[in-house]
Amino acid sequence: MAGATVEDTEGGPGAAVVLLRDVRVRRHTTDRLILDGIDWTVRPGEHWALLGANGAGKTTLLRLLGALMHPTTGSVEVLGSRLGRVDVRDLRARVGHVTAAQRVPGELTAHAVVLTGHTGTVQPLWRMYDDEVRRRAHRLLAELDVEELTDRPYEVCSGGQRARLLIARALMADPALLLLDEPFNALDLPSREDLVEAVHRLAEGRPRLATVTVTHHLEELSPAVGHALLLREGRILARGPVAEVLTDARVTACYGRDITVTRRDGRWAAYSRRRTEHPAP
């Protein structure tokens, strides 16, 4: 039902990767409240889905987690550092951020694209990449199952291949938090499934890594996703274990449309029930 909230599990081991308390973000040009009263904890090894309709505040929330902006009020702690009390440039280097809108020179080879993750630059800084750094880039290409692309220019890689290269790039800094901002955008079915599998293997192979995935489609969530947060008009509608959050009633309330949610073999799907017209008596 609307307004229902599943509480975060606060008893997990280890310090929080993300800790938000009573966070509000107000757009200064219009005084519009973008996020309102956000409380959220993400712990090491947790994998979250961040869901909501367009305009719900997902992008703003992700920008807070990536230390790309500050809240208007409330506190945001990322990797143990509170925004406003830390050099955000250092903090950003410890958070992996993947978005399809990321600028990448098309002529760079796949290996060079991954290398730029070491320096956090668009263009390679070749003098900064010693043999060990180059070997690490090769290992990440193999981990994301795109090692055969090593010498292929980025511009001729498919959308799914590019998404996996950007994830490998983000992992060069060995982040404790990985933000995936609609990484499946415009992928065909085989590419989507390849990426889902790659993200699942990544979660299994890195037990301390926490991830937050923004998506519009439940089908894009890997079986590793164990928590979900639903946003509606800047407020949290529900958060907690996926089985408690991704229900027909809560997803319907989130999107304002009659939604049926199903789960099979750890994968999710959602569809809108057909609206039928009832003739007047």
Side-chain angles (χ1 to χ4, degrees), residues 101-125:
Q102 192 164 351
R103 290 189 303 131
V104 177
E107 71 278 5
L108 292 184
T109 66
H111 186 244
V113 169
V114 177
L115 281 174
T116 61
H118 179 72
T119 45
T121 55
V122 175
Q123 292 288 348
L125 300 181

Side-chain angles (χ1 to χ4, degrees), residues 6-26:
V6 180
E7 292 300 320
D8 288 309
T9 301
E10 300 290 352
V17 174
V18 170
L19 184 63
L20 278 65
R21 288 295 176 259
D22 199 22
V23 168
R24 288 174 174 81
V25 173
R26 191 177 295 275

